[in-house]
Amino acid sequence: MTLLLEQFVVPLKQPLPYCFSLENTLAEYLFPEAHFAIGWFDSSVEYDLSPFQSMHLQCVDCDRGYYSNEPIRQRLRLNTASDFLAASHLFRSCRTPVQELTVRLKVVEDGTVIGDNLFIGLGHGKISDSLAQNLAGLAPPVFQVGFGIKPQNNQAEGQFAIATVTSDADVAPYDLILPRSCFRGEALAVGDYCLTIGFGIFEFATLQEFSLGTAVLVNYPHTLETEFLPQLRVQAEDFAQLQYDPRRLAQQYLNQRRMDSDWSLPSLTPEEARLFDLFLQTDLDHYLQMLEHPYIAARLVEFGQSWWSAIATGETLTARSAIAQPDLTLQPDQVSVPELPDGAETIVLKLPFINSNDAWILRNHHLPNRVDNCIYLHPDRAADFQINFGGDRLAFLSAVDYPTFAAEVTDLQYPHNRYPTIEQSESVSTFEQFISSYQLTLMVQLRRHVQHAIALLTEMQRLTPEQRFAYFQEACNSFQQIDWDDQLSPTIVRLQTQVRSFCIEFSSLDVTAQPALLQPFFDQLKQILRVVIGYLSSVLRFANGGQAALNQAEMEVCFALSRYKPVAWLDDLPTGIYLDRPRPSENTYSYSGTIDTVIQQTNQIWATASPLQIRPLVQFRQLFPSVPAEISGSEKHFSDCIEVAKALYGLRAALLTTPATKMYQAELNNAVEMLSQFWAVPEPLTIATQFWQWFHRRKRSDAAVRLQTEELELAKLIFLCFPQSILGRLKVLQFRRLKVTGLQYFTNKHLGRDWGSRSVPITISQNSIVNSPDYGKSVVLVEGEMLGRLTAQSPRLPLGTTAIATIDLLPNSITAATTSDGIPLRIRSQTAQFLESESLILLEIVAQPSEQNKSKLLWYAKVDGKTIGMLCHRSISVLKTLRRLQTGNVFQVTLQPLLPETAWVELEPSSVRYPEIWQQSLRG
């Protein structure tokens, strides 16, 4: 089932000209007659509750708001913050079509144990093998599923539930056993039911990669220094070696996309990312023709930037994660991870990870008849950790592989090292309150300030005695600027007392105070930061679950307390990071074991890496054949298209949001439709050819291959509007006709050779002759000896590529003419053919105005009244210097055709072999 939603930009209330589609949703199953819309929010402003075309906001999911003319929340009796948050699952695309089945359901209280070891609760239920097989085709042991129950059995309203279920033969005579807690809204009462339910599978139990990143690394400075920093150095050095190789860079990009299907480049919409993946994979599988094209290479460069940033912030360090599941036979200090050795100490991280309270060391215990891809805990231990079995994931690492990490986790779990947990008593009671609390930018702020405070706590603990006074002075000065609200909770009031005490006592201290006198201030500041970290972490955890109304005044106080000193790696970054500048880091108190040391290490390695080469557009013109002359007169319409591209870029610059990007995509389609209708050409390939040939017609120097923004927008238009035409061309070697020049120089070791139609082995190489004018440029070797360099407009293949080819010399269009008194002249033939050798003929020169510029004279050479060519510029200068440049002048000359300067190198596609290592030419 496909649910079509109208789209609009919420701040503008502006509809978009096409629908958004969702596959297999419970919303469509439960409300088949309803109308739906999706509104795109700007994350920098508050959510807007006003209606759109008689449809009201029903739920939110990040930057999306789902609207309907049906009162979905009321119909499903969704009344709490957790209900409002879970409502977005109604619009979650299911892995399989929603199936309606009549089943025998047993509803029990949370924590019910059936038989010896059948635990039901914390979002976890049981499903019969036969029902699991009906839903998924096979009988998957564990999966997360949504349940839609339409009104039935005299019930006026429907029901909605989410649970992770395990197939189990012991559920008989029932098909399904669920806890009451998995129901959203008003839960079914405990009892037995026969109900018709719509089942939608959200997720199968799979292992996933979890990026540690700064959220984890900032908590463990000793681990960062001894275990993570060396790994990140190796990753940076490896990436520096592959960054200039577009094959390896493209493969790395595709690997990342496969590992995390939700990840994409910020510049690409989901549809653009899907097509970009196709372009890359097709080119990698065939002839590597487009990897250095400016549009493709610009995206790979963007990926390189993001990957360097990921290394610099530890996001490339990963741990495997799995869905948490219950098992009553485990002890409180045990965990069961089938992927790790039995009995091994295991580092377990709760996701999302907020601070060091979310990590434990547990002993692995293999359980019989348990499936892979899950991690098992005793329900009591899970309750202590605030872990839900309805979809929460835990990451895990072997303590044997990370001994320092394990030791640091253990140390930070001692009660005196744990951050305080601050209870959040305020609850959300209305949807309006929930929306005001659920602000994406506020969640980002909370995470950033938690890390900021932890970074300062780590930094403070590594100060030398001599540095402490200046550091505490900086904190004191900042604290004295805080504006404290009158309406504060007891926790924040106590924190206020601590801060004031710190400031008053420190202000009375003399700058010459002995280091021992500073220890109390160290302890006070440490305690202040620990309370701030505990408070903000608690707010973040509750807010993530929609379970608390946020006290803005208290948060602002904690934000101010956590930013008495800047942390460079948490600041908003300027543009061009890891393109033309390194990532900023702090040097004042930059100690080993901090994020700054990772950034500085990464910056040093990045500075030594060779950048990816981006080639001029004209070198890719041969991907499509030349435009037939009868349909090539479309200059004006292409110029109009440039204006469209500029306008589209302006639209994106004005609205840097997802809706603007999608609006841009729609406008691209509209532009192509308009052009195709105007040209009345039914075959898309013909239009694609015209676009391609026009866009790639201009020569660009090696120093100016970067495109203007508008040109990149136009390039995107071509790639996105003609994907199938381009993909088809990539499957065949189009760049099989290379052009070489410089054949007249001493570097050509085949000078005067008669090539005929013989096939010869060629290699794409680099001119290594130091005194050659073409030193460092891409050249063609024949049988290991230099032929000539590739012209600036010729296609390129990687250095080291070998093939079988034929050589087709092109006649030199210039003929040497030597006058009887020794003046050397050069004549360019208008027919681009050799002028035959003649001796002592009469040559007349005639001046005629240029058709394009009437004030400019062109000088032509005539024999017997017939024009044979045009005088070259240097010849004109020579005659002018000798005062013999006059129209009608006649010279007695000898003609001598010059040797060919250029040739076509025609490759046999089946013979092309690429090198194992991609090399870059020094000069293109």
Side-chain angles (χ1 to χ4, degrees), residues 465 468-469 472 506 509 513-523:
R468 284 188 173 185
F469 187 90
F472 296 158
F506 184 80
L509 198 65
Q514 295 296 315
L517 297 176
L518 296 175
Q519 185 61 40
F521 299 101
F522 175 89
D523 295 336

Side-chain angles (χ1 to χ4, degrees), residues 97-240:
V98 176
Q99 296 187 53
E100 185 177 80
L101 299 170
T102 300
V103 298
R104 293 160 296 175
L105 168 67
K106 184 177 184 65
V107 178
V108 300
E109 292 290 357
D110 235 56
T112 297
V113 178
I114 299 175
D116 295 331
N117 190 28
L118 210 60
F119 175 84
I120 308 294
L122 298 176
H124 171 78
K126 300 293 183 182
I127 188 171
S128 68
D129 291 341
S130 59
L131 179 55
Q133 190 164 5
N134 271 341
L135 294 176
L138 300 173
V142 180
F143 54 93
Q144 187 186 43
V145 63
F147 309 90
I149 306 174
K150 295 178 179 180
Q152 54 193 285
N153 297 342
N154 300 320
Q155 292 287 330
E157 306 295 349
Q159 301 279 160
F160 168 50
I162 307 170
T164 297
V165 294
T166 303
S167 59
D168 197 309
D170 294 337
V171 300
Y174 303 101
D175 300 303
L176 190 63
I177 303 177
L178 296 177
R180 295 191 73 214
S181 63
C182 76
F183 287 90
R184 305 292 94 191
E186 186 176 325
L188 289 175
V190 171
D192 297 348
Y193 299 87
C194 181
L195 293 174
T196 300
I197 299 176
F199 294 86
I201 297 177
F202 292 139
E203 180 183 1
F204 295 110
T206 57
L207 292 179
Q208 296 179 5
E209 294 291 322
F210 162 68
S211 292
L212 301 184
T214 55
V216 175
L217 270 58
V218 73
N219 289 271
Y220 304 101
H222 299 296
T223 304
L224 180 55
E225 180 181 354
T226 61
E227 293 176 348
F228 292 153
L229 194 62
Q231 287 188 40
L232 291 168
R233 170 173 284 280
V234 171
Q235 290 180 356
E237 290 172 343
D238 288 347
F239 194 67

Side-chain angles (χ1 to χ4, degrees), residues 708-728:
Q708 297 296 318
T709 307
E710 293 85 358
E711 289 179 308
L712 275 176
E713 299 303 300
L714 187 57
K716 184 179 287 188
L717 185 150
I718 296 171
F719 276 86
L720 297 184
C721 294
F722 306 107
Q724 296 308 316
S725 296
I726 294 175
L727 289 169

Side-chain angles (χ1 to χ4, degrees), residues 110 121-124 162 164 181 184 323-325 350 382-383 385-393:
D110 235 56
L122 298 176
H124 171 78
I162 307 170
T164 297
S181 63
R184 305 292 94 191
I323 289 179
Q325 290 292 280
K350 179 182 177 180
F385 293 167
Q386 296 182 319
I387 293 170
N388 188 287
F389 294 127
D392 283 1
R393 299 186 74 88

Side-chain angles (χ1 to χ4, degrees), residues 739-745 747-750 755 763-767 774 777-782 785-791 807 901-903 905:
K739 193 173 187 179
V740 293
T741 188
L743 305 189
Q744 74 276 25
Y745 296 129
T747 52
N748 178 10
K749 304 304 181 182
H750 305 275
W755 296 101
T763 304
I764 308 299
S765 186
Q766 183 170 262
N767 190 343
D774 297 332
K777 293 192 174 183
S778 297
V779 298
V780 172
L781 307 182
V782 176
E785 297 285 352
M786 172 87 77
L787 176 64
R789 70 168 171 84
L790 291 169
T791 66
I807 312 298
E901 296 180 4
T902 58
V905 180

